[in-house]
Amino acid sequence: MSEPQQLLSPYERGRLSLANRVVLAPMTRARAGSEMTANELMARYYEQRAGAGMLITEGTFPSRMGVGWLHAPGIFTDEMAAGWEPTIEAVHRHGTPIFMQLWHTGRASHSDFLDGELPLAPSAVRHEGKGIPTPKSDGEEKAHETPRALTIDEIPVVIEEFKTAAKRAKDVGFDGVEIHGANGYLIDTFLQSRTNKRDDAYGGSIEARFRFLKEIVEAMLTVWPSQQVGVRISPNGAFNDMGSPDFREQFSYVAERLDDYDLGYLHVLSGLAFGFHELGEPMEMHEFRRVFKGTLMANCGFDRESAEKLIAAGGTDLVSFGRPFISNPDLVARFANDWPLADEAPQDTWYSFDAEGYTDWPTYEEEQRAAKT
Ligand SMILES: Cc1cc2nc3c(=O)[nH]c(=O)nc-3n(C[C@H](O)[C@H](O)[C@H](O)COP(=O)(O)O)c2cc1C
């Protein structure tokens, strides 16, 4: 008898009705062009991965000041929203739900993306890590700038932008939205003491640092049923120059408070394969299980075996896969049939800044057919 295959068994809870527990993690693929509008190429990419129980889109900008990655999509105009229609239709043909990830890049952006304005942040604390290519850098990485701290009067405006974006996502037919509260982007920089030095209602204590995310969640709930809203956090992450000494207290509090809202899920980058700040023992999924009673989604560095193990141990309900899904569009079929996985996609294929330069990975069956001819 083989081990029970929980990863591939259906998952039903609240409004989530998933054919299996494998989720496509949100991944920026930079295929939306300089007009930041989702297109047929992206519809094909998502449809290829519709064997997952559920898909989460790549980070999508809710506002002009949220922009911060070349050729990533937005949803702050009606045209941008309409660009997502082919993707939603293609994925729904397979009966798979798709959530849109809302991504305000905050201090990880650059003025080159923002008509010369400085990126926005809770406080003027500069990202000292790796720079990014910008629309004016000709492929070179530019260092980050010291961001501008949002004034207290500007914060409701940013929240309103999230709300408008969430409305557009709903009108165009997404099944829900995921709030990107991870990886050192705007919301995460509000949550963490490393980057939030405010002494007003939005900083200075664990509770106050949570306020920005709390208000965004509440704004989402004026648009969406709570079960169609997810939140993503990265308590252990060092990506984008993050990591705070009080991470455990902060993120335990965040999870506990988020539990009050009966959300669709809490998505936690618990694994360390995307960078670890080493400021203490990493937070594990069971710590979140203790305080968050709803659906948990774990991520980062999982393979089939470790995903099965964590589900069987009760540490998570769902597992999202990022990099394995790039070179294995049919990841679920490969798991189900014990087919070998393709090698991990090299980093220079992750982002395709020109429309011709993208890599389309074959399914296992396509690969076999091609080998025979
Ligand atoms: C090419 C690439 C793009 C990514 N873009 C996003 C993104 O837009 N939003 C996000 O929350 N995480 C993003 N991530 C992080 C992934 O969602 C995931 O957390 C990370 O790859 C670790 O999971 P894995 O080990 O299964 O790949 C990205 C990762 C990669 C490799």
Side-chain angles (χ1 to χ4, degrees):
M1 277 276 287
S2 59
E3 293 288 304
Q5 295 296 316
Q6 293 216 47
L7 184 60
L8 302 183
S9 66
Y11 183 75
E12 300 270 349
R13 180 154 179 179
R15 292 195 180 209
L16 289 181
S17 175
L18 314 185
N20 59 67
R21 292 143 188 260
V22 175
V23 177
L24 172 69
M27 276 188 298
T28 296
R29 303 306 314 279
R31 296 172 176 198
S34 51
E35 57 284 10
M36 296 182 268
T37 302
N39 52 38
E40 294 288 344
L41 183 61
M42 291 160 63
R44 174 172 158 76
Y45 166 82
Y46 285 104
E47 182 171 15
Q48 286 170 329
R49 288 157 183 79
M54 150 179 188
L55 308 187
I56 304 169
T57 70
E58 59 213 275
T60 302
F61 309 126
S63 60
R64 184 184 69 81
M65 286 303 286
V67 174
W69 197 274
L70 280 176
H71 295 190
I75 189 153
F76 53 93
T77 66
D78 291 339
E79 292 71 34
M80 287 174 182
W84 283 105
E85 277 168 11
T87 293
I88 296 167
E89 270 175 39
V91 172
H92 282 173
R93 275 202 293 276
H94 300 262
T96 309
I98 178 165
F99 276 43
M100 156 162 289
Q101 189 189 54
L102 290 171
W103 178 36
H104 192 305
T105 58
R107 73 169 189 163
S109 184
H110 189 281
S111 58
D112 285 357
F113 288 101
L114 307 171
D115 300 326
E117 288 181 65
L118 284 174
L120 301 176
S123 307
V125 179
R126 182 174 142 148
H127 177 326
E128 303 285 352
K130 196 166 157 337
I132 48 166
T134 79
K136 296 185 180 167
S137 72
D138 215 14
E140 298 300 311
E141 282 170 8
K142 270 199 183 177
H144 292 285
E145 304 147 308
T146 303
R148 182 172 75 74
L150 281 160
T151 66
I152 198 154
D153 299 334
E154 289 172 320
I155 290 177
V157 179
V158 177
I159 294 169
E160 194 58 30
E161 290 169 344
F162 268 90
K163 184 171 155 182
T164 307
K167 271 192 195 139
R168 284 201 164 98
K170 190 172 184 207
D171 292 345
V172 76
F174 278 105
D175 299 287
V177 287
E178 175 176 287
I179 302 169
H180 193 345
N183 292 348
Y185 297 106
L186 184 66
I187 295 172
D188 194 25
T189 57
F190 265 90
L191 291 175
Q192 295 208 40
S193 59
R194 181 188 187 97
T195 42
N196 183 338
K197 307 293 179 193
R198 302 178 76 96
D199 56 9
D200 59 11
Y202 292 89
S205 67
I206 282 173
E207 296 76 11
R209 285 194 294 274
F210 174 61
R211 184 184 305 272
F212 184 61
L213 172 56
K214 173 181 184 285
E215 291 180 356
I216 290 177
V217 168
E218 288 171 0
M220 296 297 106
L221 301 189
T222 66
V223 178
W224 286 94
S226 65
Q227 284 286 311
Q228 285 161 278
V229 176
V231 174
R232 186 171 219 221
I233 54 173
S234 53
N236 303 321
F239 186 75
N240 273 331
D241 190 23
M242 293 305 285
S244 308
D246 54 353
F247 68 100
R248 175 161 270 105
E249 294 77 5
Q250 183 70 53
F251 285 101
S252 302
Y253 178 83
V254 167
E256 196 176 336
R257 290 279 64 81
L258 289 176
D259 194 46
D260 297 339
Y261 293 99
D262 188 32
L263 296 177
Y265 63 89
L266 178 63
H267 190 178
V268 185
L269 275 112
S270 57
L272 309 180
F274 212 61
F276 174 37
H277 53 53
E278 298 183 5
L279 293 167
E281 285 300 309
M283 290 193 77
E284 292 182 8
M285 291 308 292
H286 70 257
E287 295 178 67
F288 290 98
R289 187 63 104 190
R290 246 180 258 135
V291 294
F292 188 84
K293 307 294 178 239
T295 296
L296 280 178
M297 186 187 297
N299 170 251
C300 203
F302 283 93
D303 59 14
R304 176 181 169 183
E305 198 186 344
S306 54
E308 289 285 7
K309 217 168 136 187
L310 189 62
I311 293 174
T316 194
D317 303 296
L318 309 173
V319 177
S320 73
F321 293 83
R323 287 162 292 189
F325 248 127
I326 295 183
S327 51
N328 298 283
D330 55 341
L331 187 66
V332 172
R334 291 189 195 228
F335 286 162
N337 295 294
D338 280 325
W339 292 334
L341 296 200
D343 291 342
E344 190 171 310
Q347 278 205 32
D348 63 5
T349 65
W350 286 3
Y351 310 110
S352 37
F353 295 135
D354 71 84
E356 277 81 51
Y358 74 95
T359 308
D360 197 12
W361 300 89
T363 63
Y364 182 73
E365 288 172 306
E366 285 166 351
E367 216 173 78
Q368 295 305 301
R369 274 199 297 277
K372 279 193 198 129
T373 53

